[in-house]
Amino acid sequence: MQNKKSCTFSNSEIQQFDTESFVIPSINSNEKQALALASKLSRFGDYINCYQGEINLSSNKDIITTHASEITLPIIKGAGVQKWHLPKTMSQGEDSYLFYKRYLKGNHGKKSKHHKFHRIVMQGITGVDERFRIKSTLLDSNLFCGHSTNYISMMEIDRALALHYIAILNSECSNWFFKKFSTNSNVNSYEIHNLPCPHGSDGIPQLSALADYLMDLHKIQKSLMSSYFEQLIDGLVYELYFPNEIQSSRKEILPHLGDLKAIEGNMSDEEKLSIMQREFDRLYDPNHLVRNHLETLDSVPVIKTIREALTK
Amino acid sequence: MKIQKIELTNYKAFLGTHKIQVGGKNLFIYGENGSGKSSLYYALKDFFQSSMEDIDLNELENAFVPESKQGRTAIRVTFKPNNEGQNKQKAYKFDVSNNDSRTSNDTSIRDGNKLKSFLTYKHLLGIHHLKKDEQINLFDLLVNGVLKHFKYSLTGGKELGELWTDCETTIAKRTGKEYQMTQKKSEVKAAIKVFNDAFGELFKSDSPEYILKHARPILEQFNHNIEIELSFSQLRPNAEFTAIKGAEVHVALRYAGKKIDKPHLFLNEARLSAIAISIYLGMIKRHIQGIPCKILFLDDIFIGLDISNRLPLLKIVETEFPDYQIFITTYDKPWFEYAKGSLEQNGDWKTLEFYARDCHDGTQLPMVIDCPDLLTKAKEHFDSCDYKAAAVYARSAFEKIIQKHCVRRKQIIYKPRLKDYTTEDFWNAIRDDLQQSVRDDVETYRNLVLNTFSHYNTEKPENRSELTNAIAAIERLKKSL
């Protein structure tokens, strides 16, 4: 397929690509087909609301401190959020804490209640040249979000679905789609709403189990195991985005994955690691169909197109 | 899927269209310099690579293509069974305007490209640059040679060679107003981290990607009685961020169970080649194995090996890669003849000879000669009425058959020098074991036809019916042994 740098769109195509803001995507002719296929899916905005972090760090300086105490709760900033985990130290800046009672006294809106629940949190500002612009993970309750983050409240979604969403958000495919519409370093809520969200029961247990593995493994360090599970998530999300293309190329992963044993919060670290190691050993076998399909996934033209676009 | 036929048009050394019949077999090719064997290597490599990357065939066009015929460079490869596993042939053509290997749903060639199983002697050249007067460092040989194209989860979609290039490029960048040292430091650290994570994993003995996991069993088959350990010291920038340190892979060695303190004095070219080849083949073996079209092409890599290492390597590729289609090239004719003898007993192999044929305009063209056995060649010459040539081939076939039989059965009296043996020695060693009719026929036609026709003799013109009987006698001899 000849790849042309210039590309033309009809009005209806633009409406289909970005249903809310009608942003013209920056794509080449090969990517247009991939974008058209992905755009047929429902969007995150159909299922969830994404909000900017509730604490404006500039205008609320009087209720923010750098010292933790009994009358404060931590504020998560964008620099403190990474894919799959909240690192112990932020990439820049210092830790901040909120005099939360004072904050709650003056704020009664919907967002002021979100800290009571778990959330999906993501960086609100990321470098335009970064391969992954969306970096999300789970956030416990009783933590506040600075305005340099975005979040999705888990008031109305269960943990498995939240993990499923995190897996999709952190995937190679979602990040490619996001980058096609983003023109600056902000990760805006409306851009998250516009991301395709393959919905349905397909892949939820598997993706959520893998997201759980990765959040646990990142507490240790990046390894071959975590890298492979991440690759597996990318593969599964491609399968949800482009089911027909994957099927016709016989590169399905989901039907061959088997039951991924979930890790539970009450398990010891050793138990969790042992489960993950067993699943890794099983799926990393050079003869296992999952690994074979995963490692040859860019033989599928639409995936090759996306991966090439991400490396540019 | 095995390759049945390769057709090259105006590609590199191949001016015009050349068809190479492979017949789904492993191929062992002898070729003199300039005969086109490396062009075949690159043609197949480009064919697979073009399924995923853009390759400009015009750049690879033979330099002597007339202007009116330019732009028709093509590589056409026919496979059987086809990608559906059906016992039918399927041809893929790659030319300047079309590439069948990119057809959407048929991923077989694109999957095959993943193996990167094309090894040329050039990948082993690093061996010759190793300094023997200090500790041996295999870094360059591995990263810029045998593992250059290696890719896996931790290389993040890039090849190992590219990750090293990234490190070299970032450290070489000049800082100034537009590109400040803080940014450079961060980029260098990031590039080095990716490389260290990806390459370092290969040296962890508990990792499934451990470099020696698959290499060791292969190395053992070279019978060197050596055990190796490899260690990588991890890259790091120097204090000024102007150079990279730690580009070192060191070897610890045990020979016959004993630690060798100075491995650089012990590791000669053949042993180093064996280690490098074992690592390369080991890395192919660690790859996913569900690919329908698996090619292993070894171009002239026997150069650095003596005969005691060449035969084990031949056995290794046969036993360790039974579901691969293997291509081996060599420019060493005695080795080719020697190996051919052993491969001919195995129906999975086919041999070809490439020659550079002189053309009237002063250029040379590759000439591919299918190498049937000597008796078949005798029959071909017989069919084209070249009786003298037929007789010479039949006589050579007779000599080869009895020599090989004697060697196999160790059925010959000892003589200190090979050249002391005559055909009579071999014949006398076996003649009494043969059926009388076979023995009588051979003795009759050997004297009457084979020996006589092989010389210039106007008194005894070549007789067609006598020659027919002579060839039939040699065939019966072959069957009876």
Side-chain angles (χ1 to χ4, degrees), chain A residues 184-200:
Chain A
N184 56 45
S185 59
N186 291 328
V187 178
N188 296 303
S189 299
Y190 61 85
E191 292 170 306
I192 299 296
H193 290 160
N194 189 46
L195 289 174
C197 180
H199 213 268

Side-chain angles (χ1 to χ4, degrees), chain B residues 51-65:
Chain B
S51 66
M52 293 299 281
E53 297 163 37
D54 291 335
I55 288 177
D56 186 357
L57 274 179
N58 290 322
E59 291 283 313
L60 303 165
E61 189 173 64
N62 181 286
F64 300 103
V65 177

Side-chain angles (χ1 to χ4, degrees), chain B residues 203-219:
Chain B
F203 298 87
K204 294 179 186 167
S205 59
D206 58 347
S207 169
E209 296 297 346
Y210 180 42
I211 195 166
L212 295 177
K213 185 180 165 194
H214 291 294
R216 269 191 188 135
I218 292 173
L219 187 60

Side-chain angles (χ1 to χ4, degrees), chain A residues 223-224 227-228 231 248-251 280 284 286-287 291-292 295-296 298-299 301 304 308, chain B residues 52 83-84 104-105 107 110-111 114 152-154 201 207-209 286-291:
Chain A
S223 62
L224 176 61
S227 180
Y228 184 65
Q231 202 183 344
S248 58
S249 299
R250 296 184 207 149
K251 299 288 178 197
F280 172 71
Y284 199 68
N287 293 308
R291 183 162 169 211
N292 275 270
E295 290 200 9
T296 53
D298 52 8
S299 293
K304 178 174 178 273
E308 281 175 354
Chain B
M52 293 299 281
N83 62 314
E84 301 284 331
S104 292
N105 295 340
T107 63
R110 301 196 286 276
D111 291 351
K114 291 275 167 194
Y152 76 119
S153 276
L154 286 175
E201 184 75 22
S207 169
E209 296 297 346
R286 53 65 63 194
H287 209 283
I288 51 168
Q289 296 300 319
I291 288 172

Side-chain angles (χ1 to χ4, degrees), chain B residues 28-30 302 307 310-311 313-315 318 328 330 332-346 349-351 400 404:
Chain B
F28 191 53
I29 301 166
Y30 159 73
F302 287 86
I307 195 77
R310 289 176 177 190
L311 284 174
L313 178 55
L314 214 50
K315 199 165 173 66
E318 278 192 286
I328 296 175
T330 180
D332 185 339
K333 190 69 195 280
W335 158 239
F336 175 75
E337 290 296 338
Y338 185 87
K340 202 167 89 168
S342 117
L343 297 174
E344 268 173 1
Q345 292 162 30
N346 182 339
W349 285 86
K350 180 176 176 169
T351 53
K400 187 175 173 182
K404 287 190 90 61

Side-chain angles (χ1 to χ4, degrees), chain A residues 5-220:
Chain A
K5 283 185 177 172
S6 63
C7 198
T8 53
F9 308 102
S10 66
N11 287 346
S12 62
E13 281 174 329
I14 291 170
Q15 284 172 20
Q16 189 201 356
F17 292 154
D18 185 347
T19 52
E20 282 184 34
S21 312
F22 311 137
V23 173
I24 297 172
S26 58
I27 52 173
N28 60 39
S29 60
N30 279 356
E31 287 176 276
K32 187 178 170 185
Q33 191 201 354
L35 204 66
L37 288 168
S39 297
K40 287 178 185 166
L41 296 166
S42 50
R43 307 300 169 104
F44 265 91
D46 298 336
Y47 307 107
I48 50 91
N49 269 317
C50 182
Y51 302 93
Q52 187 176 18
E54 64 273 21
I55 309 296
N56 188 315
L57 299 163
S58 307
S59 59
N60 286 306
K61 279 182 181 160
D62 56 326
I63 53 169
I64 295 171
T65 174
T66 54
H67 300 288
S69 70
E70 287 176 359
I71 56 167
T72 64
L73 284 172
I75 302 172
I76 297 299
K77 298 180 192 173
V81 181
Q82 290 299 332
K83 269 174 89 178
W84 313 115
H85 68 133
L86 301 168
K88 282 179 186 155
T89 52
M90 285 193 295
S91 61
Q92 50 190 300
E94 51 189 352
D95 293 341
S96 296
Y97 301 88
L98 182 73
F99 295 108
Y100 64 95
K101 285 185 181 164
R102 285 168 62 190
Y103 166 74
L104 293 173
K105 200 172 174 183
N107 292 278
H108 306 286
K110 190 161 60 173
K111 284 167 78 171
S112 67
K113 295 181 179 63
H114 285 158
H115 70 282
K116 292 178 184 169
F117 302 90
H118 283 67
R119 300 189 250 191
I120 297 169
V121 64
M122 63 199 92
Q123 281 193 23
I125 301 165
T126 50
V128 286
D129 292 333
E130 288 184 69
R131 185 175 162 88
F132 286 88
R133 295 287 313 276
I134 307 169
K135 299 169 185 186
S136 70
T137 188
L138 268 189
L139 184 68
D140 282 340
S141 55
N142 289 324
L143 294 166
F144 287 86
C145 287
H147 72 279
S148 54
T149 65
N150 293 313
Y151 70 87
I152 297 164
S153 170
M154 286 168 60
M155 268 170 78
E156 288 165 6
I157 54 173
D158 65 18
R159 191 170 190 274
L161 193 57
L163 290 170
H164 175 76
Y165 287 155
I166 289 173
I168 294 173
L169 288 168
N170 285 345
S171 73
E172 204 171 67
C173 193
S174 290
N175 275 274
W176 163 77
F177 193 94
F178 178 88
K179 287 175 87 160
K180 296 297 108 184
F181 295 93
S182 173
T183 54
N184 56 45
S185 59
N186 291 328
V187 178
N188 296 303
S189 299
Y190 61 85
E191 292 170 306
I192 299 296
H193 290 160
N194 189 46
L195 289 174
C197 180
H199 213 268
S201 56
D202 280 356
I204 292 181
Q206 291 85 352
L207 277 173
S208 56
L210 286 166
D212 231 351
Y213 291 177
L214 280 166
M215 288 194 293
D216 210 72
L217 285 170
H218 273 270
K219 285 180 201 158
I220 312 167

